[in-house]
Amino acid sequence: MASATASDLQAPPPQSAPQGLSTSASTQFPTVNIGTRNSALALVQANAVKQALKDANPGRTFEVKPVMVQGDRDKITPLQQLSQGENSKSLWTGELEGMLEKGDLDIIVHCLKDMPTHLPDNLQLGAILEREDPSDALIISPRLPKETTLATLPQGATIGTSSVRRAAQLRKLYPHLKFADLRGNVGTRLGKLDAEDSQYSAIILATAGLNRIGFANRISQKLTSSTGGMLHAVGQGALAIETRKDDTSMLDMLSKIRCERTTRACGAERALLRTLEGGCSVPIGVETTWRGGKGLAVGTQPAKDYDKHGAAVEASEPDLDDQELVLKTLVVSVDGTEFVEHEAARKVRSAEEADDFGREVAAALVEKGAGKILEKIKIDKAWGAKKQLEAMGVAPGTA
């Protein structure tokens, strides 16, 4: 995962129309190639971005180019092992970024939570789009009563998840539950849950992905700080578009579809993560909301008011600069026995201020003891990787 810095999200310079070209001649521009992972959900997301770009940039053509990335090729190895060392930086993005740098792709559509902590020097986040529901979701086995929740799962019930963050938080809250690794796309995971001989009583997936791919009806319980006691991953629910820093034409197109609410909120989350030097396999949870406006969920625009005839009424919404961003955070040990929490709120009027806010919250967590928890996790992961290599007959440092 990456941190959104001010330089990541700087506004592109204004573009002038090429002299001598009419509006109709815009179709003569080359096709914009959109890179994405080769999965059903990734393709749905990439095509949604494609449509948004077409709507905002009429006359241009766009084509989605799916790529099988490293993290999708290995569906067996647990993510905690697969994301050791340098691999964690390119697990979901390495091949795509290489194609972007060479010019084979013009942009890449990412789930923001999957982006590495640091981007290549010549690449940047060109836009973050309006955020979907960032919560996690509990999906129960069809063999259990429909009203089952986390709190009512039977003693010793097994939850399927490949997320260290999710399992760590649940161990903290529900020590009577068991956990088993679960990899694969959304359909694969649901199939493993529904199988007659399934070991899983429930699984946990991102609400946003379920909504986007048409499986919202399978959600048994949304897990937030107030329902289920869960904080989501940094950037979860948001789509990010990566492009080359020198591609000013592309940056201009992307500026038309970016979401300022989501950009600022995720900027704070990602600055927090970068400062703590955490990755996708580290149990850091966040929850960001806006205070002072109508909209509560970050990136979700306020609901419209309607008159007695059902027509939408434009209601005044306080300016975003006048609202406060509330950032709840949690760092928890893998076994759930140690944890540090912190909550802060402040106005963030720019990407720079969001970045500063994230760093401030990270510093507060470290002061409370988060650094010790994360350092122990880092040491344990390194030791586990060393023992795994020894068991395979490979001397450490030679792999």
Side-chain angles (χ1 to χ4, degrees):
M1 287 184 281
S3 57
T5 63
S7 60
D8 280 336
L9 301 166
Q10 60 190 349
Q15 294 293 296
S16 300
Q19 292 185 354
L21 284 181
S22 65
T23 302
S24 60
S26 63
T27 55
Q28 297 175 12
F29 288 122
T31 297
V32 174
N33 292 313
I34 303 172
T36 181
R37 290 166 58 186
N38 189 23
S39 71
L41 176 57
L43 288 169
V44 167
Q45 293 170 166
N47 278 296
V49 171
K50 173 184 173 180
Q51 188 60 53
L53 283 168
K54 287 179 67 174
D55 292 343
N57 301 275
R60 294 301 300 263
T61 56
F62 302 87
E63 185 174 350
V64 173
K65 301 281 190 179
V67 176
M68 182 67 73
V69 301
Q70 179 187 354
D72 289 323
R73 284 195 296 269
D74 184 344
K75 296 183 181 296
I76 299 174
T77 307
L79 284 181
Q80 190 173 8
Q81 297 176 22
L82 194 59
S83 61
Q84 292 289 337
E86 292 298 309
N87 287 339
S88 62
K89 298 179 181 180
S90 60
L91 196 57
W92 311 110
T93 63
E95 290 92 339
L96 288 162
E97 287 180 335
M99 294 175 69
L100 181 61
E101 289 177 310
K102 289 189 297 182
D104 296 333
L105 298 173
D106 297 296
I107 60 173
I108 308 169
V109 177
H110 298 285
C111 284
L112 189 57
K113 72 181 181 68
D114 293 333
M115 294 197 71
T117 307
H118 297 283
L119 302 183
D121 291 339
N122 58 335
L123 303 181
Q124 73 173 69
L125 280 177
I128 300 175
L129 278 60
E130 182 180 344
R131 195 176 208 170
E132 248 280 10
D133 188 331
S135 67
D136 287 317
L138 178 74
I139 305 169
I140 60 167
S141 165
R143 298 177 296 279
L144 292 175
K146 290 183 178 181
E147 63 275 12
T148 301
T149 65
L150 271 177
T152 61
L153 280 168
Q155 179 80 23
T158 297
I159 302 253
T161 178
S162 56
S163 166
V164 176
R165 171 189 57 82
R166 289 168 178 157
Q169 290 189 69
L170 290 176
R171 288 188 180 103
K172 167 181 173 289
L173 295 166
Y174 305 101
H176 65 283
L177 298 177
K178 296 180 179 179
F179 301 89
D181 194 68
L182 179 64
R183 296 280 316 276
N185 60 37
V186 174
T188 298
R189 297 189 198 195
L190 289 173
K192 291 179 179 179
L193 171 67
D194 295 344
E196 287 293 330
D197 58 348
S198 176
Q199 65 175 310
Y200 309 110
S201 297
I203 63 176
I204 298 179
L205 298 173
T207 299
L210 291 164
N211 287 346
R212 288 174 179 140
I213 208 168
F215 284 114
N217 64 313
R218 290 299 307 268
I219 297 175
S220 305
Q221 180 185 15
K222 288 186 181 180
L223 306 176
T224 66
S225 61
S226 58
T227 59
M230 295 275 289
L231 301 186
H232 57 74
V234 166
Q236 187 160 303
L239 297 181
I241 303 176
E242 188 175 9
T243 189
R244 293 181 292 276
K245 285 183 177 179
D246 61 0
D247 193 345
T248 54
S249 175
M250 195 67 243
L251 289 167
D252 181 54
M253 280 192 274
L254 294 176
S255 69
K256 300 172 185 177
I257 64 172
R258 70 191 294 273
C259 175
E260 188 63 28
R261 288 167 63 87
T262 306
T263 295
R264 294 185 194 181
C266 289
E269 293 177 19
R270 290 154 65 83
L272 163 81
L273 182 67
R274 174 169 52 86
T275 305
L276 292 176
E277 297 185 345
C280 295
S281 60
V282 174
I284 297 173
V286 298
E287 187 175 83
T288 39
T289 53
W290 290 98
R291 186 162 63 196
K294 291 178 62 181
L296 293 179
V298 167
T300 302
Q301 298 303 323
K304 290 183 178 180
D305 290 329
Y306 297 87
D307 62 22
K308 62 181 181 180
H309 303 295
V313 176
E314 292 297 329
S316 59
E317 168 76 2
D319 190 277
L320 190 61
D321 288 352
D322 295 326
Q323 299 177 38
E324 282 189 317
L325 181 63
V326 182
L327 177 54
K328 295 182 180 180
T329 56
L330 170 71
V331 176
V332 58
S333 61
V334 174
D335 63 6
T337 60
E338 298 178 81
F339 63 93
V340 173
E341 298 173 291
H342 187 71
E343 180 177 338
R346 62 171 278 188
K347 293 178 180 179
V348 290
R349 299 182 176 89
S350 65
E352 291 85 357
E353 290 189 10
D355 200 69
D356 291 341
F357 184 37
R359 289 197 299 266
E360 288 175 9
V361 173
L365 285 167
V366 169
E367 187 174 346
K368 289 183 173 183
K372 295 179 181 178
I373 294 175
L374 293 174
E375 183 60 27
K376 184 177 185 301
I377 292 172
K378 183 178 179 181
I379 292 172
D380 288 347
K381 285 178 67 178
W383 176 253
K386 177 176 179 291
K387 299 302 291 183
Q388 189 176 31
L389 288 173
E390 289 175 350
M392 296 168 58
V394 179
T398 63

